[in-house]
Amino acid sequence: MLKKRILITLILILLNNCEYKPIYSSQNNYDFNIRIENFDGDQNINNLIANNLKKNNKDKSNEIINISFKTKYSKDILAKDSAGTITDYQINVTTTFTIQKNNKSENFKVFEKFNFKKMSDKYEEKNYEQNINRNLARSISQKLILRLAAIKWF
């Protein structure tokens, strides 16, 4: 019992004195204006990514970053039962970004995937898949913003 108290006290003292900050706490502390030049590939995912980027855009910033991206979407069969009926799916989204600022450009890829079980109700499965797509697009957008904040433009 005494060892637990000492250990907890020691951990609290160390965390209190080391200026602990969550990794993503500075995600919204950026100052740039994102302009989407063009996008290609799956229209649904592209529109979701573009809408997420527009929500996080700082229109009053002087730093303008032009972005083009291409998205590849696939819904693959992951598993079947003994009768040959599909039981599991995997959604794969690969997005290739081209970032341009001050006549300098950089390319990078983001890959997201999600596995889910087939549902008996087609309507619920379609809604669930749309929800997954929204979440994947949000994740891709956040990774892009973090990448933009980390890039050093000289």
Side-chain angles (χ1 to χ4, degrees):
M1 187 68 164
L2 183 61
K3 288 182 181 180
K4 285 184 180 180
R5 287 185 183 177
I6 292 173
L7 182 63
I8 291 173
T9 305
L10 184 63
I11 290 173
L12 289 175
I13 289 172
L14 290 175
L15 286 178
N16 192 24
N17 292 330
C18 70
E19 296 184 36
Y20 170 78
K21 287 193 294 186
I23 294 173
Y24 298 113
S25 66
S26 62
Q27 179 178 356
N28 293 328
N29 294 339
Y30 58 86
D31 188 28
F32 46 78
N33 184 357
I34 299 171
R35 291 192 183 160
I36 300 172
E37 295 292 317
N38 63 358
F39 49 84
D40 196 19
D42 185 70
Q43 202 66 25
N44 184 29
I45 298 289
N46 287 341
N47 288 334
L48 291 169
I49 292 171
N51 288 337
N52 287 331
L53 291 175
K54 287 177 187 175
K55 287 178 188 175
N56 294 319
N57 203 8
K58 307 274 184 177
D59 290 329
K60 296 180 182 179
S61 174
N62 292 333
E63 289 190 56
I64 297 172
I65 299 175
N66 297 319
I67 295 176
S68 301
F69 57 94
K70 182 177 182 177
T71 304
K72 182 181 176 189
Y73 174 86
S74 67
K75 180 180 175 182
D76 301 326
I77 298 170
L78 195 60
K80 294 183 179 183
D81 61 7
S82 60
T85 307
I86 299 169
T87 58
D88 295 343
Y89 289 108
Q90 182 177 49
I91 292 179
N92 298 309
V93 179
T94 304
T95 307
T96 305
F97 290 100
T98 302
I99 305 166
Q100 295 178 338
K101 180 182 175 188
N102 299 335
N103 297 326
K104 296 179 183 175
S105 67
E106 182 176 320
N107 296 327
F108 76 98
K109 285 186 177 185
V110 176
F111 178 74
E112 293 286 331
K113 67 179 179 177
F114 189 83
N115 300 338
F116 67 98
K117 298 242 183 241
K118 182 179 178 184
M119 297 180 179
S120 58
D121 186 7
K122 295 288 185 188
Y123 179 74
E124 282 189 34
E125 184 177 327
K126 185 176 180 181
N127 286 340
Y128 186 59
E129 187 175 343
Q130 289 173 350
N131 191 23
I132 291 168
N133 289 343
R134 279 193 296 274
N135 291 336
L136 292 176
R138 187 178 306 120
S139 174
I140 291 169
S141 302
Q142 288 174 349
K143 287 181 180 181
L144 172 66
I145 290 171
L146 287 172
R147 179 67 177 238
L148 292 174
I151 293 176
K152 302 294 184 200
W153 301 97
F154 296 104

